[in-house]
Amino acid sequence: MIFDNISNIEKYKNDNKLYEELKKLTLLKIGDKDEKKRVATVKFDEAKFENHLKNIDIHYVVSGKEKILVSNNIDNHVRLTEYDRDNDYELFDISRDFSSVVLFPGDFLVVYPGEAHAPKISDDGENVYKTVIKLKY
């Protein structure tokens, strides 16, 4: 898992695949409230962990703020759905064993397979404008 700001993109030059995707994010305008990037947020008690087996997620916020819960021990969570091969995800509860990060404009979070995450959380109901890039792992 990587939590950073796009201003630090040069740190990732040695990982060509990740670096190329991060470079695309620098083309997005911070503060942009393009409706195509608006994501409906949820309250903490509505959130669920998602886990991927084949893809890396890069979450990038351009406007608003987003809380994402993270857990590196999926075995401590109750499975809510079976793995969906077509869409590469499975859902788990968020009852325990997690940390959280808050993404502000320009921040990104890279989540690798096996690193459960519960995105789209807003404590105040504020809209978040973001993009998510999926990379084959």
Side-chain angles (χ1 to χ4, degrees):
M1 191 170 311
I2 300 170
F3 171 50
D4 208 338
N5 187 278
I6 201 67
S7 63
N8 298 319
I9 188 174
E10 296 304 314
K11 292 191 322 190
Y12 305 99
K13 273 187 156 179
N14 290 336
D15 184 338
N16 290 336
K17 191 174 179 181
L18 177 60
Y19 182 69
E20 289 304 314
E21 295 302 322
L22 292 175
K23 280 195 333 189
K24 293 176 189 175
L25 296 176
T26 64
L27 302 175
L28 300 174
K29 183 179 174 194
I30 297 297
D32 182 14
K33 292 190 176 180
D34 179 347
E35 282 301 306
K36 290 183 267 184
K37 292 181 183 65
R38 185 169 63 83
V39 175
T41 56
V42 297
K43 297 280 186 199
F44 173 84
D45 60 351
E46 300 169 323
K48 294 174 180 46
F49 275 122
E50 59 184 63
N51 183 52
H52 308 290
L53 301 181
K54 298 184 226 171
N55 293 300
I56 296 168
D57 275 1
I58 303 173
H59 296 260
Y60 179 68
V61 171
V62 293
S63 183
K65 67 180 180 183
E66 175 186 27
K67 181 186 287 185
I68 300 179
L69 305 180
V70 294
S71 176
N72 61 2
N73 194 351
I74 201 64
D75 294 333
N76 283 346
H77 300 278
V78 175
R79 178 182 296 278
L80 300 175
T81 67
E82 291 302 313
Y83 176 66
D84 180 332
R85 288 182 187 273
D86 294 334
N87 296 303
D88 184 40
Y89 78 91
E90 53 192 347
L91 298 177
F92 295 84
D93 77 340
I94 57 167
S95 59
R96 61 185 181 278
D97 292 339
F98 61 85
S99 298
S100 64
V101 295
V102 178
L103 276 62
F104 292 92
D107 290 342
F108 65 88
L109 180 69
V110 179
V111 185
Y112 291 86
E115 297 176 336
H117 54 292
K120 303 187 270 186
I121 299 172
S122 174
D123 295 329
D124 57 13
E126 177 186 357
N127 285 325
V128 64
Y129 297 80
K130 66 181 281 189
T131 190
V132 177
I133 296 174
K134 300 216 176 258
L135 294 174
K136 288 283 183 208
Y137 184 66

